[in-house]
Structures are given as structure tokens and as C-alpha cells.
Amino acid sequence: MWAPGSRWGFAAVLVLALVRAVGSAGGRPCTDSDWRFTLSECVQEEETGRKSRGIFAYGPSDVCSSEAATSRPEPKPLLGVPCHHPCEKGTRLAADAQRRQADGDSQVRLQCQTCEPGRFSLGGGSLYDGNVGDWSLPLPAEMTTFCFYRGTDYEWYAGNSRPKRCLLHLALDLAVQTRPGTWNEFLPDVEIRMPLVIPPGDPMDCEPVTGDSVRGKAVLVQRGVCTFQLKADLLASAGALAVVLYNNEPRAGYFYPSASNQTVLPQIPIFMITMEDGESIRARVEAAAAGGVAAPELHAATSRCSAAGLEAMPTMTPTGGHSGNNSLEFFRDETWDDIEGQRGCASWSTDATGGFFHSGNNLHFHWVYSVLMLSLRFVRDGHLRFRYSVDSESYDGLSFLMDQAERFPKVSRKAPYVEFKIDVPRGPHTFTWIYQKDYSSTAGEDRARLQVLEVVGSSYADLACRSCNGARELDVHGAEACPVCERDHYLYSLGGNSSCEPCPSGFGAPSGSVGAGSCLMRRACGQRDIEVTYSAFEMNGTVRQLVGGIVCLRNETLAVSAWRRPVVCDPGRPESMQLPEEAAEVRACPPCQPYEHRPQGELCEPLVRTCAQGFHSQRELVVAHWYTWPRRFSHEVIGLDGSSRSDDGSSRSHWQLASDASAAVVGSAFGGLDEAEAGHDIARLHLDAPFSSEGNLSFVFEARPAGAWGRAAQLTVNGTLAKGAVLEGPFGRFPLWRVVLPLPPGPHRITWSWRYGASSESEDVDDAESSQLRGVTGLRLLNISAQNVAGAGARGCAPCLAGHEVAPDGSSCRRCPAGHSSAGGGAACAACDSGYAAAEGAAACVACGPGLRSAGAAARCEPVPMLAAKNFVGASTGSQWDLQAIARAWHGNATEGLRPLRVEDRLYYVGLFSPFLGPAGGTAWGTRADAYWWERLPPRASSAPSSPGIGGSAVCEAGSGVASYRSVGESLESLEPVSEGDVLGVLATFTGTCEGTPRRAKVLLRCEAEETPNGVLGLAAAALMKRAHAMGRSPSPSPSEVLQASFRKRPTSARSCDDVEIEWRSQAACPLCRPDDFVPVKYGKCDPRKGQVVMIMARSRCFGGAAAPQDRLEPCGDSGGIPKAVIAAFVVPVALVLCCLGCYVALLRRRYSQYMSLEEDQDTGGDLR
């Protein structure tokens, strides 16, 4: 069951003594009739599978004191109550306490209670009524919205398909659903970003907290023992800023904590989460405290869980990792709304005022289907009814289906709202609204609206009755019991009979009032009730004749004073201010706005200044007083039927000029109609301002009550909630707040909207409190300033800032185009020389880094075609890298485009040497710049404090609650060869900024090629190596197209701005092969018949380039195994040496031959006889 208007609270066993200080009624003992009860949401029981709820009792501290001795005992909680107890329309399911006869204790029982006068119920169903702002509440879980579109390749793609929820984030990796406290609605809607701690001592926080342990922090406490209000009050008194309350019942449903004392509400917001989520968060907080690290940060985009701050639940695992590895999942989270000129689509979303649900901003998209689905189980026969309008061209439009069967054909034009009702039998059903666009043309708003969605039969009973406010006019089911009394009358009920009775003399009440307490004494008339109008006139004799179209003539005007209509004060009271004796008097003309003058004594014209060369006139639109409506302003009222009507000044439901000319005002607090009498009108004040360059819009406002800003009061720019606004204040005695909103160049419609009834409408506000709120609601707008508005008055002359030059009109500055720069001080933008480059708006041209080049007037430096290497180890002298081949390998042989690159748990999109827009077709946070390297960030809602009601989202975020993209490298700084150990390749260095701080990112393109271990080659290894290193010789496979990378330097967190280094290995990152890179290598033994195998191998790692020489066979030579050349080289010298030695010996023999003859023995004498 879904019930957008329901709120429940809880208080359990004891109410401590401090409750009396909160506002107990004199300590009166509690009786059985004093107990109040809250019913939890239905949950499915694991054991039986049936749905049941719990009922809990509490004694309101402003009524009685449960600590009194004679107080009746508090009834025990009743768990496991079936969810099928029926109640008819006009009643609600409630509980009371009944005393048992046996033991005298009180027991809880269910019953159907009749709705109070002025309230009604559906009898088991749900209602979203945009007239009371129901669409600003969180969407039911049973409702989903998504879109899909046809891309340029004629394939269909999914857009945003995940419902949005109110989330609490802890640190960066944990997000849990939550429900806000009912009193959060009466506090400013702000972003929560602060440390989360556990209170010292009592985990349930039912005792005062001493010291500063919780000051300035959010506090995690457990449900139980004392009231929600007491917990919040105790922590607020200790300086805490928010409370996170987790359930003490396992697997229990969500509910909304409420205050037991409605007269004095807590001043800090509270959030309810489940027991399981609370224990998980508590463990993290305790672990951080035990480790001595800072407390984890709690973040919530909106303290009220308003529509602007709802987020898609991130698909994260309990450890913080993404649940899937398919990169397509990251695209399904994207919303491509407001991206002009791109293929995309927008899903159904809530209007900024909460007045209707629409089919998304698809003005610039085509071939789109925007789908809204509601799946419900009807427990009995019932019906579904909705009021819708469509404004589109004839080929586009809205169709409605029930259970996949079309119930009405496509409708293109329906305005104002029309009603459609269909009977629905018991059982499960799916209802589908489809807004479709064809391939071309756009007309009108180009969207469908749902104002009212009523479902009857989807539950057995309503848990709360709704206010009759507006229901009778819409013929809501069950609202026929709502009588509407006219002005100065009230609804009187007695014994089940009701009638409209007049207020006593001197008292008044707005139409639709309930009870005599609605009649309030008419206040004395004051200055705010007087309206002064100014008109130009001419004298026709003694008669003044008005001149239409102007308010001043010859520096004179006719001022006419009168009571504002309708008169809501009592002019007859003695203390009332009286009108001037002469209703019309001649006065000097009202002063012109600052930087304007009245040269002819008639119309105010902008001041014009002539500035010196290099200087421009500073134009600023300033509205400092409000005697008449300033130029460029218009106002309208959006009525109950959805139609728009211009302001004719006859009704106090419109924007008005304050009687003291200090502001533009709307609402009963400043003299307009009260909430009830204005009905459901939306009063809008428009400022149409064409900004010639970037400029700030600033204004000051006062909202009553303080919580009205962001609920009844909204600021929109061009029809969408303003983003990036900074809220300053409060200051002054009112108090006043100041808003500063930067706006880009171009025409803008700035709209301040006031929706009557939204500031005090709440299902938990009783009649007494509602009466107190009446008469004190409204918005006061003053001191508006808009810089650099074309046609505004000039306040002075000034030089342009660096990176800018004076525009041709002389009244503004324009950014230097890409490839140009200017140092400021009046200098014009000059083109960059060759070898230099400059981005748009650059103050100076930057020299291209190593490996880069540029022509003149270049926006970026481009890679050189061939990157030459130095003489280092790993690459031979003169080695070169083919950067174009590396780029082709990176993109998978494609010519362009970002490639997704998953590195561990991170997803990057890298264009390498070419910059591109972001993956979603746009860029980070709505800019139009491109970058070489993008990273995907996990979902978040805000990165800087934002003002309540002005969007509730980040200053620089693409979209609330979805994944976004941030540039890592906006500029390519250098491309350098690298050789460190076995690392060989090219290092690409990128630079950029990350949240205002410089950031550097690097990609190492590492050469990855097969090598032979220990220099030994087998035949198979040699063949493989040849194919890897000799691409030029014969065709071979291209490098792998699968991008695989790893971190060389890992970021510390998902959103950190640390420098990043990744490594990609590829054969394409090797240097090109050259002829002298190849050497012959003999392989194996020589075959005497075939010869010796000689293979040509690369002596260093290379890829592509020169072709390797052909392998060859060489003769083996002699069988001795010694080469002939070697033998000859050895034998010839030896033979020569031996020859020389022989000659020398012969010479010696000849020279000394005489000494070498034998001598005869002298002693023998003559012959021998």
C-alpha cells in the first residue's frame, strides 16, 4: 500500500522525568483515552508469508504524564496484526485502549474511526493531488519510470530506469533508505553533510549528553524507552545538528517519527532507518573510533526528503564494490536530460512546485519513449482515476495502458486538465503511461502532465484522513462528505450533522474554514493593506485626464491610494490606519532603478557609458524599489484547472507591490489572501533577462514561516529548479536570506513561484496548529541584482579579465576563442604561434610538450606522427614509435571514440590522443568542454552546500542521485619514450583540474612482445618471434583489441582527486623495426644434404616497421668440421715460418762447411803394412 500523505510516529515503554519539561499538562495522570497509537507499515512475515503490522502506544507529553502514580499502565505493543482489517470511506483505521475485566490492564484494539470534520478518506486507497503538492513527496515503491530512445545507429538504448528514494550516505560506499521526521517539514530543507557519531553512554539517548562529543555532528541512536521528540531535544541541547534513529525491531517496515508535543517542535531533523542498516552503520562508526580515525561523514541531499533531493539507490555490494562487470550497466543509470543536440531521453519527473508529474524534458530529443508504470495488487474491486493534460505536436502524445491493453489511444492535445477513470477488478494490475515522440518536430510544452492520481481498492483501509482542501472541487472519492463554507463562515458539526455558520460580528474566516476557531478577529488595517497606483495625466481644464501606457509625464504622476481587494482587515477599528483624505494626489515621479534615468521626464532608460579602448561598460540590472513593476518583469497565476492567466492586479492571490515600495510580495503575511481563500493557485513572478556573458543573479527574500522556502516558495530557471545557488543568512530581524546564483550566457527566464497551501499543508498538522499558521504565510522579494544583462544600465567601466576581450557591443567581455589568449587589462585576444596552444578563455599560450606539435592558433597540441627515441637500453639508436598505430590499437582499429577501460573497481573512458565529450554525450556537470580521459563517479547528490528549495543538488552535478562523469585529463602534456629496466614503451602524461585542484594522470603504453629465455631459440619459438617482430615481412594478426590495464598508482577513494597512473600492455607500443635491428642466427646442426639453417631475428623488442630479411640455407663445408678459411689462416703462416727456417739452416751450412770436415789421425804415419 502506498499513501503519500501519511506520517506515523512511535514512543515506547517509559516517559522520563524530562518529558514534563518539554510541555506536560501539569503532570495529570494518563487515562485509557489519553494513549495515542501509531501503526507501522505492513511487512511480510518470513514464517507465514502473510503481511502484518505492529501497533505501539505512547502518552503525549503535552496531555498527561505517564509517571504519575495513578496513571493507567501503558498498553503493550501489539505485533503481528493482520493487514486486512477493512474500513469504509469517511473512516480511518485506528487503535484505542480498552480495559480488560480480568486483570484491569489495558489492551490494544483496532477499530474504524470517523474522520474529523473537514477531512475525508478513500476507504482503502491512495491519492496524489498536485493541488496540495503531493507530487513533491517521495514516490511510492510500486511506481517506476524509465525511458528509451533510438540512437544514430538505429538501435534502441535505455535511459534512466531506476526509481529514486530518500537516501542517507555514510562515507562513500554505503547508502541506505530513510524516512524523515514529521517535524522536518517545518525546518529549512537543507543538505546534511557532517560527521556521524554514537552518543556516549546510553545508546538510546534518553539521558542528557554532557561535553562536546556530539556538538556539530549527527548522532546515531536506537529507538526505544523515550519519545523521538525527547531524543532530538536532548541532542539539540548538546549541540547536535541531526539525529539518525534506527529501529529496534528486526525486519520491520519504515515509518515517520513524529513529535509527541505539537506545540513545541524539535529544532533539528531526524531520520528513521531499519535495524539492519542501523547496526551496519553503528559497526562502521565504532570501528572508526577504535582505529583512531575521523568519524565517517553522513550525507543527505535533503533534510525533508523533498523530490529535488531524491536519488536512485546505487547498485553497490555490502563491501562497496559494484555488483556487475558489464559496462552497459553504467549507461543504464544515465539521464540525458537537457543535453541539446544529442541522442537521449528523459524519464517522468516531478515539477519544481510539486503540482504535477510530467513526462520529462524531451524538447531536444526525438524517437523517444518516456514510460511511467504503477504495479498494484487490488484487494477488492475498485478504480483508478487520474487528471492529465498533454501539449505536443500531432505525431507525439500520451497513451495509457492497463495490463498491456491500450485504454485510450495516443492523445496529443488536451488542455486544461481532463479526467479519465477506469474500473479495476480485484487482483494484480499494471498501469502504464507512455509519452512517445517520433523522429522529428517539437511543439508546445512537448510533455504530458498528471495532476491527480487516485487509486481506490489497493488497500483495506486508510491509516489517515486527508484535508478536504480542494478535494470537493476535484470530485475526489469520499470527498462528497466535505462541505465547503463561503468566506466569513465556518463548518459546524454536531452529532454527525454539519452546517455552515456565519462568524460573529467583527470576525472573519476564509472560505472552507472548519470550526468556530477558524473565525478570527479582523485585524486593524495597516500600511500593507493600502495599495498605491501611479498614472500619468494631463490637465483638461480643471479635470485630470489619465494617459495610458506610462506612469509619468513631465516628471509628475497621479498617485491613487485604496484598500487592497478583497479587504481582509477592519478599517473601522480605532487603531486602523486611514486612507489619505484625498484618494488621488499629484506627486513627483517615482525614482528610476539604479543605473537608470528619466531623460525626457517620462520613461526610465538605461544609463549609457562610453569607455576607453580595452574597457567595457559594466551592465547590471538592479531592482532596489517597487513603486511600479520594473521592466522585464511579468506575473501570472496557475489555477486549479492547470490553465495560466495573466495578473490583472484584482486579486490578492497574485504577486503584488508592497505598499512601502520596498519589495514584491505574495501571501497573507504581506497583505495577500490566506492559504484557504487563495485555493490552490500558484503565483509566479518572471524575470526575462538575456545575459551577454557569465553573471551572478542575487536577491534577498523573507519567507514566512521559515520552512516555506523550498516548499511553498521555489526558484526556477528556464522551467527547472535552479542549481548551484548559494544561500547566505539569516541576517536582520525578520530574518532575511540572500541567494547568489551564477548563470551562463544566454536568455534566461527566472521564476519565483508561490504555491498556496504548501507552507502549512500536512497530514499531521491538527486544526489548532493549522489555524495558527493561517495568516502568517508569504514571500517577500527585494533587492534583485543581475550582472551582465544585455540592455541594462551601465554602472561603470572596467577592463576584461585575463582570457577575455571586449565584445563588439562594448558592454561585455567575451572569452578568447581556442587558440588565442589575452593577459587582460584591456589587451585583445592574440593567436598562438606554432608550437603553442591555448584552450578557450586562456590567459596565455602554452608551449607544446615533448612528442607534441601544433600549427598557429591551435586549441590543442597534437602528437607527432613518429616519436623518436633516445639511445637507451632496450631500444636501438634512432628507434621510432608509430603513434597512429598505437591509437588504432587502442580504439580497436576504429578511427575515434572513447574506449571504456576497467581498472580493478574503477571505470574510465579514455580517448588517448584525441579529446571527446563525456560518455553520456555531454560532460561533467553540464559543461561543454571535452577531455582526453574521463572517470565514472558513483552516485551522489551534492558536493557543496546548496540552498533549500533551489534544487537541492550539487553545484556541479549532472544529475541528482545518478552516476556522473568527471574529467581526469583535459590536456595532453607530453609523449615520451620510456626505458626503465625491462619497461619499454611510451608515457602519455595528462593534466587537468579536479574540484579546483591541479591533477596529473599518466598512461604507460608498455611494449609487450615475446622474448626468448636465455637466448636459446627452438624452432617453434623462432617462428612465433618472427611473427611478433617482423610484421613487414608477411601478414600477421593485429594487436589485441581487448584493453587490459592495471594501476601503477591507485586513487585512495572513489571520489578522490589523487594523481592516477595506469599501464596498458600491447605489441603496438613497441618501437618500429629497422633493417639493422635484425641479425642472422644459425639454428640447429648442419644437414650435409640441405645445408645450415640461418634465421633472421630482431636483436631488440620491436613491432612493425621494416621487413625482416628472408631466412636462408648455407652449405655445411668440409667434413673435418674446421672451416677452410681457418685452416688456411693457420697453415700458410706455419709453412712460411718453416721455409724461412730451412733457408737459414742451408745458409749456415754453406758458411761454416770448412769447419765441419773430419781431420785424419796424425799418429798413423804412411802406409800401413
Side-chain angles (χ1 to χ4, degrees), residues 886-915:
I886 294 177
R888 286 195 299 270
W890 179 273
H891 294 291
N893 292 326
T895 57
E896 61 180 18
L898 291 166
R899 279 297 293 271
L901 180 64
R902 181 177 292 280
V903 186
E904 298 179 12
D905 60 338
R906 307 300 173 86
L907 184 65
Y908 298 101
Y909 294 84
V910 185
L912 201 57
F913 304 147
S914 301

Side-chain angles (χ1 to χ4, degrees), residues 7-11 36-40 55-58 182-183 223 228 255-260 764:
R7 298 288 189 271
W8 306 295
F10 165 79
R36 297 182 182 177
F37 299 87
T38 181
L39 283 68
S40 71
I55 305 176
F56 307 91
Y58 64 96
T182 58
W183 65 77
R223 167 190 175 189
F228 300 142
F255 61 85
Y256 298 79
S258 63
S260 56
D764 295 290

Side-chain angles (χ1 to χ4, degrees), residues 870-892:
K870 301 176 182 178
N871 183 20
F872 49 45
V873 178
S876 58
T877 304
S879 294
Q880 291 184 324
W881 277 261
D882 187 346
L883 298 183
Q884 294 179 350
I886 294 177
R888 286 195 299 270
W890 179 273
H891 294 291

Side-chain angles (χ1 to χ4, degrees), residues 189-208:
D189 190 11
V190 298
E191 179 190 28
I192 302 295
R193 190 181 288 276
M194 61 191 67
L196 179 67
V197 299
I198 299 174
D202 183 11
M204 295 188 178
D205 182 46
C206 291
E207 297 288 347

